[in-house]
Amino acid sequence: MDELQDEWRAFGIERPFALRIGINTGFCTVGNFGSQDRMDYTIIGNVVNGASRLQVSAGSGGILIGHETYALVKDEVVAEERPAITAKGFAEPVRCYQVRGLYDDQVEEGSAIREESDGFRLLIDLERAERGDAIAKLEAALSRLKASSWDLN
Protein backbone atom coordinates (compact mmCIF):
# COMPACT_ATOMS: atom_id res chain seq x y z
CA MET A 1 0.00 0.00 0.00
CA ASP A 2 2.90 2.34 0.78
CA GLU A 3 4.29 1.79 -2.71
CA LEU A 4 0.92 2.54 -4.31
CA GLN A 5 0.51 5.69 -2.23
CA ASP A 6 3.95 6.91 -3.34
CA GLU A 7 3.02 6.23 -6.95
CA TRP A 8 -0.30 8.07 -6.61
CA ARG A 9 1.39 11.06 -4.96
CA ALA A 10 3.80 11.17 -7.91
CA PHE A 11 0.72 11.51 -10.15
CA GLY A 12 -0.46 14.49 -8.09
CA ILE A 13 -3.01 12.81 -5.83
CA GLU A 14 -2.75 14.69 -2.53
CA ARG A 15 -4.70 12.25 -0.37
CA PRO A 16 -4.25 8.75 -1.81
CA PHE A 17 -6.38 5.83 -0.73
CA ALA A 18 -5.36 4.36 2.65
CA LEU A 19 -6.54 1.38 4.61
CA ARG A 20 -6.45 -0.11 8.08
CA ILE A 21 -6.75 -3.76 8.98
CA GLY A 22 -8.05 -5.67 12.00
CA ILE A 23 -7.42 -9.41 12.27
CA ASN A 24 -9.00 -11.67 14.87
CA THR A 25 -9.00 -15.45 15.28
CA GLY A 26 -11.81 -17.76 16.34
CA PHE A 27 -15.01 -19.43 15.25
CA CYS A 28 -17.77 -17.65 13.36
CA THR A 29 -20.76 -18.44 11.20
CA VAL A 30 -20.58 -17.93 7.45
CA GLY A 31 -23.34 -18.39 4.92
CA ASN A 32 -26.57 -17.13 3.42
CA PHE A 33 -28.75 -15.31 5.93
CA GLY A 34 -32.16 -13.72 5.46
CA SER A 35 -35.40 -14.60 3.77
CA GLN A 36 -36.54 -15.39 0.23
CA ASP A 37 -37.14 -11.68 -0.31
CA ARG A 38 -33.68 -10.65 0.77
CA MET A 39 -30.78 -13.06 1.11
CA ASP A 40 -27.19 -12.05 1.90
CA TYR A 41 -24.02 -14.09 2.07
CA THR A 42 -22.30 -12.82 5.21
CA ILE A 43 -20.25 -13.66 8.26
CA ILE A 44 -21.40 -13.18 11.85
CA GLY A 45 -20.07 -13.80 15.32
CA ASN A 46 -18.20 -12.27 18.22
CA VAL A 47 -14.85 -12.84 16.50
CA VAL A 48 -16.03 -10.87 13.46
CA ASN A 49 -17.16 -8.02 15.70
CA GLY A 50 -13.75 -8.13 17.39
CA ALA A 51 -11.97 -7.85 14.04
CA SER A 52 -14.14 -4.87 13.17
CA ARG A 53 -13.29 -3.14 16.48
CA LEU A 54 -9.58 -3.81 15.91
CA GLN A 55 -9.81 -2.39 12.39
CA VAL A 56 -11.44 0.82 13.62
CA SER A 57 -8.67 1.23 16.22
CA ALA A 58 -5.81 0.43 13.83
CA GLY A 59 -5.36 3.91 12.41
CA SER A 60 -4.58 4.73 8.80
CA GLY A 61 -2.10 2.27 7.34
CA GLY A 62 -2.07 0.17 10.51
CA ILE A 63 -2.70 -3.49 11.22
CA LEU A 64 -3.99 -4.53 14.65
CA ILE A 65 -4.30 -8.19 15.58
CA GLY A 66 -6.04 -9.79 18.53
CA HIS A 67 -4.24 -11.79 21.21
CA GLU A 68 -5.31 -15.18 19.81
CA THR A 69 -4.01 -14.21 16.38
CA TYR A 70 -0.74 -12.97 17.86
CA ALA A 71 -0.27 -16.31 19.65
CA LEU A 72 -0.49 -18.05 16.27
CA VAL A 73 1.85 -15.75 14.30
CA LYS A 74 4.31 -14.41 16.89
CA ASP A 75 7.23 -16.36 15.39
CA GLU A 76 6.66 -14.87 11.93
CA VAL A 77 5.25 -11.40 12.55
CA VAL A 78 6.95 -8.54 14.37
CA ALA A 79 4.30 -7.00 16.61
CA GLU A 80 4.17 -4.82 19.70
CA GLU A 81 1.47 -5.08 22.32
CA ARG A 82 -0.66 -1.96 22.54
CA PRO A 83 -2.93 -0.87 25.36
CA ALA A 84 -6.08 -2.98 25.36
CA ILE A 85 -9.00 -1.33 23.60
CA THR A 86 -12.40 -0.86 25.14
CA ALA A 87 -14.76 -2.13 22.48
CA LYS A 88 -18.50 -1.84 22.22
CA GLY A 89 -20.12 -5.23 22.81
CA PHE A 90 -17.20 -6.63 24.81
CA ALA A 91 -17.30 -6.90 28.60
CA GLU A 92 -13.51 -6.88 28.95
CA PRO A 93 -10.90 -4.74 27.16
CA VAL A 94 -9.51 -6.43 24.05
CA ARG A 95 -5.76 -7.18 24.01
CA CYS A 96 -4.20 -6.15 20.74
CA TYR A 97 -0.87 -5.93 18.95
CA GLN A 98 0.35 -3.48 16.30
CA VAL A 99 1.99 -5.31 13.40
CA ARG A 100 5.38 -3.82 12.49
CA GLY A 101 6.35 -6.27 9.75
CA LEU A 102 7.71 -9.75 9.17
CA TYR A 103 10.81 -11.25 10.77
CA ASP A 104 11.95 -12.54 7.36
CA ASP A 105 11.98 -8.95 6.08
CA GLN A 106 13.96 -7.84 9.15
CA VAL A 107 16.51 -10.61 8.54
CA GLU A 108 16.94 -9.40 4.94
CA GLU A 109 17.38 -5.81 6.18
CA GLY A 110 19.90 -6.93 8.81
CA SER A 111 17.79 -5.89 11.80
CA ALA A 112 17.17 -9.44 13.01
CA ILE A 113 19.05 -12.71 13.29
CA ARG A 114 17.16 -15.93 12.62
CA GLU A 115 18.54 -19.46 12.54
CA GLU A 116 16.41 -22.60 12.41
CA SER A 117 16.74 -26.34 11.94
CA ASP A 118 14.95 -29.41 13.33
CA GLY A 119 14.63 -28.91 17.07
CA PHE A 120 16.41 -25.56 16.99
CA ARG A 121 15.09 -22.03 16.64
CA LEU A 122 16.87 -18.73 17.28
CA LEU A 123 15.38 -15.30 16.69
CA ILE A 124 16.92 -12.03 17.84
CA ASP A 125 15.17 -8.75 17.05
CA LEU A 126 18.15 -6.40 16.96
CA GLU A 127 15.86 -3.37 17.17
CA ARG A 128 14.35 -4.47 20.50
CA ALA A 129 16.89 -6.75 22.17
CA GLU A 130 19.58 -5.33 24.43
CA ARG A 131 22.94 -6.54 23.08
CA GLY A 132 24.55 -7.48 26.41
CA ASP A 133 21.43 -9.34 27.57
CA ALA A 134 21.17 -11.25 24.28
CA ILE A 135 24.84 -12.29 24.45
CA ALA A 136 24.45 -13.40 28.09
CA LYS A 137 21.40 -15.52 27.25
CA LEU A 138 23.14 -17.09 24.26
CA GLU A 139 26.23 -17.88 26.35
CA ALA A 140 24.06 -19.39 29.13
CA ALA A 141 22.20 -21.55 26.62
CA LEU A 142 25.48 -22.65 24.99
CA SER A 143 26.91 -23.53 28.40
CA ARG A 144 23.85 -25.64 29.28
CA LEU A 145 24.00 -27.33 25.88
CA LYS A 146 27.69 -28.21 26.32
CA ALA A 147 27.06 -29.55 29.84
CA SER A 148 24.02 -31.65 28.85
CA SER A 149 24.16 -35.40 28.49
CA TRP A 150 22.58 -35.04 25.07
CA ASP A 151 23.99 -37.55 22.59
CA LEU A 152 25.93 -35.39 20.13
CA ASN A 153 26.46 -38.19 17.59
Side-chain angles (χ1 to χ4, degrees), residues 17-36:
F17 177 76
L19 58 91
R20 56 184 181 217
I21 299 172
I23 303 173
N24 208 13
T25 299
F27 293 98
C28 56
T29 304
V30 179
N32 289 316
F33 295 90
S35 66
Q36 280 184 284

Side-chain angles (χ1 to χ4, degrees), residues 1 7 33 37 46 93 101 117:
M1 195 59 176
E7 192 173 316
F33 295 90
D37 295 333
N46 202 38
S117 64

